[in-house]
Amino acid sequence: MDMPTIQHIRAFTLRGAGADYHDQGSGHWIDDHIWTPMAKYPEYRQSRQSFGINVLGTLLVEVEASDGTVGFAVTTGGELGCWIVEKHLARFVEGQKVTDIEKIWDQMYNATLYYGRKGIVLNTISGVDLALWDLLAKVRGEPVHALLGGPVRDELQFYMTGARPDLAKAQGFIGGKLPLHHGPAEGPEGMRKNLELLAAMRRQCGDDFWLMYDCWMGLDLDYATRLATTAYNEFGLKWIEEALPPDDYWGYADLRRKVPPGLLVTTGEHEATRWGFRLLLEMGCCDILQPDVGWCGGLTELLKISALADAHGKLVVPHGSSVYSYHFVITRHNSPFAEFLNMSPGADQVVPMFHPQLLDEPVPVNGRLKASALDKPGFGVRLNPDLALHRPHTH
Ligand SMILES: C[C@H](O)[C@H](O)[C@@H](O)[C@@H](O)C(=O)O
Ligand SMILES: [Mg+2]
């Protein structure tokens, strides 16, 4: 079978939720006094949007093959990502066969090494890579998971991230991950509030339901150790997530040695490439790796990260990224469950994570998603045709 070639790559920006899921309206749980590394400044404590968590917006990458097939993907990247695609990466994509995914990835990564390695450049490479997997799978008329070796289980099971673990339990999820609202700058009073919230959720959810705290890089080693120890010993916290800044590999290794055996330390959503995750593994930083497939280098890189973690006996539970992680998780033995980020303002409705950008985006039913729900070509989603696309740059 002669494989078609990639004729065009186009990059667009989109505003308003979607892949840049922090870009929400006011009154949303995801922007309500959640602790961050900026929260030491009182003026940036109430709202993460106040310091710019949503400045990037969504990057939409579209790739069109010579047979007319179009693949696409969305991630966090906005206009910066558009520039990188149109002015730099396009030359490695156009003219290549739709099967040349590995070569394209290597050229995108090495050509941007002098200014990339992580952050917006890897977000952008991830977006291109996911669009290429969508395209190849559509050309072959298969779901992406079939190109990865196929499902290893009949269904996905999810924990839910949001302000209402009590509702997550009622909706059939296996656990609830809370955002942390207070940190070191708010002293003992803040610590007390963190523990009171967890205590209340434990009372409402019972003893067996998983409860986790997501600290979004915002703590120091001493505070994280004290919070984790009391939260585990008194309220059965299952894991403490992203307690420290991503570059503090040494801090994570210390935290993991200091916390009680049985409490899991997790991180990785702001880490990128197999080399970054190798550092997390070899320095003993965490028990579960949580790469975001739209930020770590895409599916091509996530497969490498996953194999490395598997050899170390570690789980890979990708940071919530909708269908882009579901097609991966269903095919990996060391990814036994997935994250579902609740994007309803009150964290009380199960709504598509990347709404309104993806049509046909599957959502968990009773906290689960049958593998068969992913059996459409590509990632199985369509771009909402009513969206206002903006192409800020061309090549
Ligand atoms: C809920 C957290 O503060 C973040 O907003 C969330 O995106 C991420 O850390 C997660 O693990 O879902
Ligand atoms: Mg997180």
Side-chain angles (χ1 to χ4, degrees):
M1 171 184 183
D2 284 341
M3 275 292 156
T5 56
I6 303 157
Q7 287 202 318
H8 302 290
I9 183 170
R10 294 178 283 267
F12 304 87
T13 61
L14 285 163
R15 292 298 311 185
D20 190 2
Y21 56 84
H22 287 115
D23 190 25
Q24 297 290 343
S26 59
H28 197 291
W29 72 264
I30 209 164
D31 201 29
D32 179 17
H33 201 284
I34 293 177
W35 203 258
T36 78
M38 285 294 285
K40 69 177 80 134
Y41 303 103
E43 65 271 32
Y44 294 122
R45 201 170 285 176
Q46 175 53 42
S47 157
R48 294 191 283 187
Q49 290 190 16
S50 69
F51 72 72
I53 197 171
N54 63 327
V55 288
L56 289 177
T58 291
L59 165 66
L60 163 65
V61 178
E62 199 175 68
V63 280
E64 182 179 345
S66 51
D67 68 351
T69 308
V70 175
F72 81 95
V74 290
T75 187
T76 313
E79 189 158 341
L80 290 178
C82 288
W83 189 93
I84 296 168
V85 172
E86 301 277 3
K87 302 302 183 186
H88 197 175
L89 303 184
R91 70 191 74 186
F92 306 118
V93 180
E94 290 180 346
Q96 301 305 311
K97 288 188 294 183
V98 295
T99 45
D100 288 339
I101 291 179
E102 190 69 37
K103 179 176 73 170
I104 292 169
W105 195 96
D106 185 68
Q107 290 180 351
M108 290 194 294
Y109 180 72
N110 284 299
T112 55
L113 208 48
Y114 72 101
Y115 72 98
R117 298 179 60 236
K118 296 183 192 292
I120 182 65
V121 176
L122 264 291
N123 288 22
T124 303
I125 288 173
S126 302
V128 174
D129 185 71
L130 291 168
L132 292 173
W133 279 98
D134 189 48
L135 178 62
L136 176 58
K138 283 173 176 172
V139 165
R140 288 187 162 154
E142 291 184 300
V144 168
H145 66 67
L147 277 58
L148 306 180
V152 297
R153 59 186 77 91
D154 294 336
E155 63 179 14
L156 288 169
Q157 57 180 349
F158 293 85
Y159 75 86
M160 182 188 277
T161 298
R164 298 295 303 275
D166 55 321
L167 295 182
K169 180 180 182 183
Q171 291 160 346
F173 290 86
I174 56 174
K177 184 168 75 180
L178 282 161
L180 190 75
H181 293 287
H182 307 283
E186 291 186 332
E189 179 63 13
M191 176 68 84
R192 186 182 57 75
K193 289 177 182 174
N194 287 332
L195 292 170
E196 275 179 358
L197 174 59
L198 185 60
M201 282 301 163
R202 179 54 71 204
R203 284 192 299 274
Q204 293 180 68
C205 297
D207 292 340
D208 301 331
F209 188 67
W210 295 357
L211 288 175
M212 296 76 84
Y213 253 141
D214 188 310
C215 308
W216 214 74
M217 309 174 275
L219 307 181
D220 58 48
L221 178 59
D222 169 63
Y223 191 98
T225 304
R226 289 186 290 113
L227 170 67
T229 301
T230 306
Y232 176 75
N233 290 336
E234 295 186 22
F235 308 113
L237 189 74
K238 183 169 181 72
W239 76 63
I240 185 167
E241 179 169 327
E242 250 204 334
L244 305 172
D247 293 325
D248 188 4
Y249 302 99
W250 304 269
Y252 277 104
D254 283 347
L255 178 63
R256 202 156 160 263
R257 283 189 288 269
K258 289 172 177 285
V259 297
L263 173 72
L264 301 176
V265 174
T266 74
T267 192
E269 71 185 69
H270 294 104
E271 187 55 82
T273 79
R274 70 202 82 155
W275 295 285
F277 285 90
R278 176 180 175 184
L279 208 45
L280 288 175
L281 288 163
E282 294 189 3
M283 290 190 65
C285 296
C286 57
D287 302 285
I288 301 179
L289 299 177
Q290 301 169 307
D292 185 299
V293 69
W295 303 343
C296 71
L299 193 48
T300 303
E301 196 66 1
L302 181 55
L303 288 166
K304 297 180 173 72
I305 293 164
S306 174
L308 198 56
D310 197 10
H312 283 257
K314 293 288 186 272
L315 298 185
V316 174
V317 180
H319 170 247
S321 34
S322 186
V323 289
Y324 302 113
S325 51
Y326 303 166
H327 277 259
F328 166 82
V329 170
I330 198 76
T331 69
R332 298 295 109 174
H333 293 288
N334 64 323
S335 299
F337 54 89
E339 176 181 7
F340 182 74
L341 241 166
N342 187 312
M343 295 319 300
S344 65
D348 53 359
Q349 308 290 324
V350 176
V351 297
M353 183 185 163
F354 282 178
H355 176 80
Q357 293 176 358
L358 302 181
L359 300 185
D360 312 327
E361 181 182 357
V363 293
V365 175
N366 195 31
R368 282 154 179 77
L369 193 63
K370 293 240 176 288
S372 56
L374 301 174
D375 279 352
K376 287 183 276 187
F379 285 106
V381 289
R382 291 175 293 134
L383 187 69
N384 182 342
D386 299 335
L387 297 175
L389 303 185
H390 174 49
R391 187 178 184 189
H393 306 287
T394 57
H395 59 278

